Each structure stands twice: as C-alpha cells, then as structure tokens.
Amino acid sequence: QEFSELVKRAAENQKKQTGQDPEEDALKDIRDQIWNSLIASTLVNKETERTGITVSDQELVDWVKGDNPPSFLMQQFEDSTGKFNRAAYDQTINDPKNKEIMIQVETGLRQQRLSEKIQSLILASVRVTPGEMEERFENQNTKLEAQYAMFDPNRFFPDSVVSVTDDDLR
C-alpha cells in the first residue's frame, strides 16, 4: 500500500512538472527507484534497531545550524556566483512559517544520517588482507610482453603424412 501510494505521488509530481502522464518506461523507472528506496530504508531501519544507532535531535540541530549544513539545503541558498547565502539560510530555517517544511526536512535528514552511520559501521568492519591487496596490485599492474611467429603447420607436415588412429582420438 505504501509502495503504491509513493508511486502514485511520484507519477503525479512528474505530471505536474511535464504537463502529461509519464510514459510506461518512465513509470517503470519511478517504480524501480521507489522500490529500491523502500528496500534500502527498511534495511537501514532494521539495522539501526539491531545496533541501537540513533540520531539525536541535537545532532540534527548542530548539523543544520553548524558551519557545514547539508549540501542539498545549502544549494537552495546559493547566489548566481554559487556562493552560499548564510543570512538567507538562517532566516528561512528559523522562520516559524516554514515549520511544516522543516519537519519534512528533519525526517529526511534523520534518515540520511542513520544511513551514513550504518554505512560507516559496515565499512569500519571491512578488513582487507595483505594477500588481497597484493593480488589486486598484481592484477592491475602486471603486463605481459610476448613475441611470436605465425606459421602454417601444413607447410611442414601436410595432412597426408599424419595419421590419427582411433586410440589417439580416445
């Protein structure tokens, strides 16, 4: 039900942008993207429950109001030269009129931060052995030089001189 609702909403959003219903190929892409997103979200949620990883409200506040806010938010407040307008950003996120939008942003940021933490945990547990590194290095850097001479064996031993028995074939 959730999947169907998200697909319907995404198709409606695309229709608003383009003025027409999405074609079957575009609809398939929308379904695939939403399905993959739901699977990833479910896996992250289960793993965060299992590991006890959380994102605190203060952590989100520090991220949004800190020196390096989320890039997708910063992009919304760049001027024509690409410079981040911090004053407009601060005014917008602190404006009570934007409370509903900021709640949606907070939900997305919390999910993003949880995903980042899970990914960091997984990557921290990956160990590469020296043998694996050596093998990878050799595979990427080993080159072979060879010289060869082409010849037609029939010039030296015509088929009429060679006999093959049934035992040879076996």
Side-chain angles (χ1 to χ4, degrees), residues 119-133:
Q119 187 175 14
S120 292
L121 180 68
I122 291 169
L123 291 176
S125 67
V126 172
R127 300 285 184 252
V128 179
T129 66
E132 290 170 325
M133 289 188 330

Side-chain angles (χ1 to χ4, degrees), residues 60-72:
L60 286 176
V61 169
D62 292 345
W63 188 21
V64 170
K65 293 186 175 184
D67 293 336
N68 192 18
S71 59
F72 84 92

Side-chain angles (χ1 to χ4, degrees), residues 72-128:
F72 84 92
L73 285 176
M74 289 178 65
Q75 289 172 353
Q76 305 302 315
F77 296 91
E78 288 180 353
D79 60 19
S80 59
T81 64
K83 187 175 181 205
F84 177 55
N85 184 341
R86 184 66 190 219
Y89 173 81
D90 288 338
Q91 181 181 356
T92 301
I93 64 171
N94 292 320
D95 189 341
K97 295 178 199 172
N98 297 326
K99 182 179 179 183
E100 292 300 318
I101 293 170
M102 290 309 295
I103 290 172
Q104 292 174 4
V105 168
E106 177 186 345
T107 302
L109 289 176
R110 189 176 303 274
Q111 190 65 33
Q112 179 182 342
R113 185 60 90 188
L114 282 172
S115 295
E116 290 170 357
K117 285 183 171 186
I118 288 295
Q119 187 175 14
S120 292
L121 180 68
I122 291 169
L123 291 176
S125 67
V126 172
R127 300 285 184 252
V128 179

Side-chain angles (χ1 to χ4, degrees), residues 16-71:
K16 286 177 185 176
Q17 290 176 351
T18 63
Q20 53 189 344
D21 286 325
E23 294 181 12
E24 191 57 38
D25 287 345
L27 202 52
K28 182 189 178 310
D29 290 342
I30 289 171
R31 284 189 198 107
D32 289 347
Q33 183 180 11
I34 290 174
W35 180 255
N36 290 336
S37 176
L38 280 173
I39 295 296
S41 176
T42 301
L43 291 174
V44 166
N45 289 340
K46 286 188 183 235
E47 194 61 16
T48 55
E49 287 175 19
R50 187 183 74 77
T51 59
I53 293 175
T54 60
V55 176
S56 70
D57 292 342
Q58 189 59 48
E59 187 177 349
L60 286 176
V61 169
D62 292 345
W63 188 21
V64 170
K65 293 186 175 184
D67 293 336
N68 192 18
S71 59

